[in-house]
Amino acid sequence: MKVSVLNIKGKETGRSVELSKSIFEVKPNDHAVYLDVKRYLANNRQGTNKTKERAEIAGSTRKIKKQKGTGTARAGSIKNPLFRGGGTIFGPRVRSYSQKLNKNVKKLARKSALSIKMKEKAISVVEDFDFDTPKTKSFTDVVNALGLSDKKALFVLGSVNKNIYLSSRNLKRSSVVTNSEISTYNIMNAQHLVLSESSLEQIESNLS
């Protein structure tokens, strides 16, 4: 499929690029997309929440009252989970939530996500650009020129560009990643995908 290349002013440059059918026109596999998005979100969980059990509470282990004759239930320690300030029963522990997924399934999920965006006509290709200095207004002008001011847009660059990244950092609806950082979640979470020319070859080589 041929797609016209736009400049940063939103105008056609007169050039076009051929997008690989094996990546941008595959039959979407919804389950693969679900598994990859679930893996991405799970891997982002820190898993550092922790509560103290009765053995970890600081306090006396003295028996607080006699065993019998009080008319209430027996109690052996002030750290009893039934008492205020006592330990927590079966509380959360530090753990890893990370999940693994086969490489081929991850590739299929990413191809499916790109194909879904292509079917929705939510992919644009722009020529490579750069800014002299980091400036939010410069990036905002590009977003407005492409007609994406009211959409959540994901810009994919071929390599790290500090000026472009810093210029987009303050914008809520737009984000910038390199081709190596693109994920199924990022693609599906964006309403429109903007690919730079230099990123296309690397995306196709990674997913072929």
Side-chain angles (χ1 to χ4, degrees), residues 60-80 82-83:
S60 173
T61 57
R62 177 183 66 87
K63 187 170 178 63
I64 60 175
K65 62 181 181 180
K66 62 182 183 178
Q67 181 82 343
K68 296 179 180 292
T70 63
T72 58
R74 55 192 175 184
S77 170
I78 196 67
K79 297 187 287 185
N80 190 319
L82 299 180
F83 294 158

Side-chain angles (χ1 to χ4, degrees), residues 119-165:
K119 189 175 181 180
E120 295 174 350
K121 297 182 179 180
I123 293 182
S124 299
V125 178
V126 298
E127 61 183 4
D128 295 335
F129 63 97
D130 193 4
F131 301 138
D132 296 331
T133 57
K135 199 171 183 180
T136 303
K137 186 179 185 305
S138 300
F139 192 83
T140 304
D141 292 339
V142 175
V143 173
N144 292 337
L146 295 174
L148 303 176
S149 58
D150 59 342
K151 293 183 179 180
K152 188 182 291 185
L154 177 67
F155 286 75
V156 183
L157 307 180
S159 59
V160 177
N161 190 307
K162 189 175 180 180
N163 288 343
I164 295 178
Y165 170 73

Side-chain angles (χ1 to χ4, degrees), residues 28-41:
N29 189 312
D30 294 337
H31 189 60
V33 173
Y34 160 75
L35 290 176
D36 201 19
V37 170
K38 186 176 74 166
R39 178 195 63 85
Y40 177 89
L41 294 175

